Amino acid sequence: MALQPITTRAPDFVPDKITDAEGGAMLRAVVNLFGKWQITDEDAALLLDLPLRTYRRWKAGQPGRLNRDLKARLSNLLGIHKALRIIFVDPNRTYAWIKAENAAFGGRSALHVMRGGELTDLMRVRRYVDVERGGW
């Protein structure tokens, strides 16, 4: 019996959308994370691309509509946190890293990079920590 070639094709990847309930949980986690990182409300609003008043209202527990960009920002911030928790055993080092000078960022901190305000700035930091932790 001769071998027969088999043509296989992986199905197209279609990620599940982040639901509003999941987005709300992510927002609460990120607000808590910002407290651990000891960053200002101004920086937090910048990282989330929100007006300061809106961020403060959401921080007080009155969130509004979470659009796709905001959900992506929240996802990247939580991904950064997850990678740091894998890299560092000591939680204090995990939380302090965000403000520490880093040669990979030209001597600037990850927070400084993320203060650029673009989603790609958050993604740059996330890619870096994912590589450092051995992620792919």
Side-chain angles (χ1 to χ4, degrees):
M1 177 179 347
L3 295 176
Q4 299 293 322
I6 298 174
T7 304
T8 60
R9 183 178 172 286
D12 292 334
F13 175 71
V14 180
D16 293 332
K17 292 185 179 181
I18 298 171
T19 67
D20 289 337
E22 291 167 333
M26 291 168 64
L27 176 64
R28 291 187 298 277
V30 166
V31 167
N32 186 43
L33 178 60
F34 287 163
K36 302 275 188 187
W37 283 351
Q38 299 179 357
I39 64 172
T40 65
D41 285 356
E42 291 79 10
D43 279 341
L46 178 65
L47 297 182
L48 296 177
D49 195 29
L50 293 172
L52 181 58
R53 278 183 62 178
T54 301
Y55 173 73
R56 286 184 172 153
R57 188 175 71 245
W58 289 17
K59 181 180 171 184
Q62 302 170 8
R65 185 179 171 283
L66 304 176
N67 62 32
R68 194 165 72 179
D69 178 77
L70 182 56
K71 289 175 183 177
R73 288 170 181 275
L74 294 169
S75 177
N76 277 281
L77 289 163
L78 290 173
I80 291 165
H81 174 63
K82 176 185 173 184
L84 292 173
R85 289 300 306 255
I86 291 168
I87 293 168
F88 299 112
V89 175
D90 178 12
N92 293 325
R93 288 191 66 196
T94 298
Y95 301 129
W97 181 88
I98 208 74
K99 290 183 175 179
E101 292 179 359
N102 191 317
F105 303 130
R108 297 172 298 162
S109 70
L111 180 58
H112 181 83
V113 171
M114 294 188 299
R115 278 184 186 135
E118 298 296 329
L119 176 56
T120 53
D121 298 322
L122 301 178
M123 293 168 69
R124 178 178 174 205
V125 172
R126 182 170 182 183
R127 277 192 309 271
Y128 173 75
V129 293
D130 280 345
V131 167
E132 287 298 308
R133 75 167 173 86
W136 40 270

